[in-house]
Amino acid sequence: MTLFQSAWNAQSPQALQRREAMLARIAALRALEERSAAASAKSRPAFEKRGQLLPRERVALLLDAGAPWLPLCSLAGYLQDSKDAAQSVPGGGVVAGIGFVSGVRCMLVASDSGIEAGAVQSMGLEKILRVQEIALQGKLPFVHLVESAGANLMRYRVEGFVQGGALFRNLARLSAAGIPVITVQHGSGTAGGAYMPGLSDVVIMVRNRSRAFLAGPPLLMAATGEVATEEELGGALMHSAVSGLGEQLAGDDREALGLAREVVARTGWAQAEARNRAQDPLYPAEELLGLVPDDLRQPLDMHEVIARLVDGSDFLPFKALYGAATVCVQASLDGHAVGILSNNGPIDVAGANKAAHFIQLMCQLGHPILYLQNTTGYMVGKESEQAGMIKHGSKMIQAVTNATVPQITVQCGASFGAGNYGMCGRGYAPRFLFSWPSARTAVMGGEQAARTMQIVGEAALARKGIAPDPAQSRAQYDKIVAMFEAQADVFYTSGLVLDDGVIDPRDTRAALAQCLDICAQAELRQLRPLQFGVARM
């Protein structure tokens, strides 16, 4: 046993100040998530008139009561639909997450048809593509609750049409891999949207509500002059009795969701959890709020964070005195053996070598690797360059890239420069990547970027024999700082789906436990791949 002795005073003025700052960020996060739910709920009268449930009500009924639920990409699209932070509605028009349906852990995606009738948004498409990839890696049944007006033709972009094909390609990949794809068609699916049920293994339709056609009545008339009703073209009864697109016909949303639960139950994929309950950390998760500085220039000992995440606060440091700013430890989290890699400063030559060694050791042992990002990047300077920082940092990046075990990343603080890469940032395809409200991501700090451009600009003027204008120089400096700071903010980066969601630090252990369960289950689950996806008959 290697029990960590915390030196942190959770009641110190510094801790209390940091706690208040973190709580303010969490409140802002929850307000944005609630904004999306509230915008959708405004459509309640129309849904009730049609005898329908709101999207979030559908999700709640489908999921097992009281079972864990891991929402994903809840801020997708934030500041992308509108540059006005007070008006932007996050979520991308999609509700997505991992939860249990009839005892089976599933990837669940629901059109948020209370907002713009479920019209596809650009970042909503990115969100769906991301969760499809998670489902494929995690061998999770893909359950899709569809009700979408399709693309908004008033905001048509050709790249969205072209890239949107990947959504349907991924449905075919899932099915061919042996992963069930189950669709509940609650409402319309037009044009490309019709391929969502078309590329599913099982489709449940709702009488008088489900619609699926390649061309709706207006487009049909415009294209061919033919006149047809929605029911004739693609109604639930027609598809269930004539075309064969639907396998199950339900009377309403509730019955459809009940049928979906039965379909999932009959996969036989429910698994009992065999592991014993792990020992909780010795230190409360509540103290994480006071640990993390809102000013990332203040130090943070990541050992203190690790002690509040791992089983019994028990971990074994690896090369503790060598490259000490790079933290490598072995531990267990909710019963799963893991390697944890984190930062107490920049990554130097010794730290990069240590990390590469540690990653390879974890691959040898078969232990998943958790990256807790908190770094300004790789060390710069004459001494570091002469010591081979580039080649040693590249060695670490090679190890991250080619690791053979699941990798999961949490961006806790700074994620700057190539440190983002070496610590398994989004570009390195970790199985999951979450951010804390304190996280910031950028190629460098705003002040460093501004000063760099200032030096370059002044040098260029000097070569021409021109003296710099102090006022102009200052204005450019402030503009660059503002640009970098705005884009580094975690709510902005999460809006671009550069993570899988922003989480309350207190929920980190529970979120990681779910992710590790998913990874372990995927290792054990034997799929029966097909040459291609289940073809509709």
Side-chain angles (χ1 to χ4, degrees):
M1 295 286 286
T2 311
L3 299 182
F4 178 75
Q5 296 297 316
S6 176
W8 182 250
N9 179 3
Q11 297 303 314
S12 69
Q14 182 186 52
L16 294 176
Q17 181 275 323
R18 291 179 177 183
R19 173 185 168 83
E20 289 305 312
M22 181 62 79
L23 285 172
R25 289 291 283 174
I26 294 170
L29 168 64
R30 297 293 176 244
L32 287 173
E33 292 173 334
E34 177 55 32
R35 183 185 296 176
S36 179
S40 183
K42 288 180 181 178
S43 300
R44 180 179 295 278
F47 274 71
E48 290 180 344
K49 185 177 180 180
R50 298 193 298 257
Q52 290 185 296
L53 297 169
L54 284 167
R56 285 167 179 76
E57 293 173 333
R58 294 169 183 167
V59 170
L61 277 175
L62 184 63
L63 293 169
D64 294 352
W69 164 249
L70 182 63
L72 297 170
C73 307
S74 64
L75 295 189
Y78 178 60
L79 292 179
Q80 303 308 305
D81 57 335
S82 169
K83 296 305 179 185
D84 184 349
Q87 298 299 319
S88 180
V89 178
V94 177
V95 179
I98 299 171
F100 287 85
V101 178
S102 298
V104 180
R105 186 183 274 109
C106 298
M107 177 64 74
L108 174 59
V109 175
S111 309
D112 197 345
S113 48
I115 300 174
E116 296 184 354
V120 177
Q121 301 178 25
S122 61
M123 297 316 299
L125 173 61
E126 292 294 328
K127 179 174 178 174
I128 296 175
L129 295 178
R130 171 58 185 155
V131 302
Q132 286 178 325
E133 195 63 34
I134 292 173
L136 189 61
Q137 287 185 319
K139 301 178 184 177
L140 299 170
F142 190 83
V143 183
H144 203 173
L145 309 184
V146 176
E147 183 173 33
S148 173
N152 187 328
L153 297 182
M154 298 299 292
R155 294 200 296 265
Y156 169 75
R157 292 290 183 275
V158 67
E159 64 270 23
F161 154 67
V162 173
Q163 294 162 359
L167 186 158
F168 311 123
R169 172 177 177 268
N170 286 345
L171 293 176
R173 290 172 68 206
L174 285 161
S175 180
I179 299 170
V181 178
I182 300 161
T183 288
V184 180
Q185 190 77 29
H186 289 280
S188 292
T190 306
Y195 287 105
M196 291 188 217
L199 288 161
S200 299
D201 302 331
V202 178
V203 176
I204 299 161
M205 292 198 155
V206 180
R207 187 185 295 271
N208 299 323
R209 293 308 322 161
S210 298
R211 301 282 187 270
F213 25 59
L214 295 178
L219 178 57
L220 183 67
M221 179 177 286
T224 69
E226 184 179 354
V227 177
T229 66
E230 287 191 342
E231 180 59 39
E232 290 171 328
L233 277 177
L237 182 58
M238 187 281 286
H239 279 309
S240 298
V242 180
S243 79
L245 181 66
E247 278 69 54
Q248 305 288 342
L249 180 62
D252 57 20
D253 280 351
R254 289 179 183 275
E255 184 182 354
L257 295 167
L259 287 169
R261 287 182 55 81
E262 186 170 352
V263 168
V264 173
R266 291 184 183 278
T267 63
W269 282 25
Q271 290 182 334
E273 294 293 334
R275 289 180 295 105
N276 294 324
R277 188 179 185 280
Q279 183 183 355
D280 290 336
L282 299 181
Y283 306 101
E286 191 74 22
E287 293 182 355
L288 290 170
L289 300 180
L291 269 167
V292 184
D294 51 324
D295 180 355
L296 297 183
R297 289 171 294 193
Q298 297 177 10
L300 166 62
D301 183 0
M302 292 301 292
H303 293 96
E304 296 281 2
V305 172
I306 294 168
R308 288 156 178 83
L309 297 179
V310 302
D311 297 351
S313 300
D314 172 18
F315 55 84
L316 177 64
F318 178 81
K319 291 183 185 286
L321 302 180
Y322 179 78
T326 299
V327 177
C328 299
V329 306
Q330 290 178 262
S332 291
L333 198 154
D334 200 39
H336 296 278
V338 295
I340 301 177
L341 219 166
S342 190
N343 325 98
N344 279 344
I347 305 169
D348 59 13
V349 166
N353 278 303
K354 168 181 170 177
H357 182 174
F358 184 71
I359 291 166
Q360 292 176 79
L361 175 62
M362 292 304 101
C363 292
Q364 183 188 66
L365 296 175
H367 294 173
I369 303 170
L370 308 181
Y371 296 84
L372 305 180
Q373 290 192 0
N374 180 46
T375 184
T376 53
Y378 287 94
M379 186 70 79
V380 298
K382 184 171 66 176
E383 183 179 342
S384 291
E385 297 288 8
Q386 292 179 355
M389 188 70 259
I390 294 172
K391 70 177 184 181
H392 295 299
S394 298
K395 190 188 305 178
M396 178 178 173
I397 288 173
Q398 285 272 11
V400 173
T401 302
N402 297 297
T404 56
V405 294
Q407 301 182 100
I408 301 170
T409 301
V410 181
Q411 295 184 319
C412 302
S415 179
F416 291 161
N420 175 278
Y421 304 159
M423 289 294 294
C424 202
R426 175 61 108 199
Y428 288 76
R431 294 284 184 93
F432 295 91
L433 189 153
F434 296 103
S435 299
W436 283 0
S438 48
R440 299 184 72 76
T441 304
V443 67
M444 63 182 72
E447 293 178 358
Q448 289 75 22
R451 181 57 184 147
T452 299
M453 293 306 298
Q454 193 176 54
I455 292 170
V456 171
E458 289 174 355
L461 290 173
R463 287 193 296 270
K464 298 176 182 178
I466 302 172
D469 180 337
Q472 188 178 35
S473 180
R474 184 67 202 184
Q476 177 180 282
Y477 181 94
D478 292 341
K479 181 179 179 180
I480 293 173
V481 169
M483 177 182 67
F484 269 73
E485 291 302 307
Q487 293 190 52
D489 185 81
V490 68
F491 293 169
Y492 184 87
T493 54
S494 193
L496 291 169
V497 196
L498 297 180
D499 61 26
D500 297 323
V502 181
I503 60 174
D504 186 324
R506 294 169 292 189
D507 297 332
T508 306
R509 177 175 163 85
L512 290 175
Q514 289 195 59
C515 294
L516 291 166
D517 282 346
I518 291 164
C519 294
Q521 178 179 280
E523 291 291 321
L524 296 173
R525 178 163 283 159
Q526 295 297 312
L527 299 180
R528 295 175 175 81
L530 305 173
Q531 185 175 0
F532 45 79
V534 174
R536 306 213 55 77
M537 300 298 179

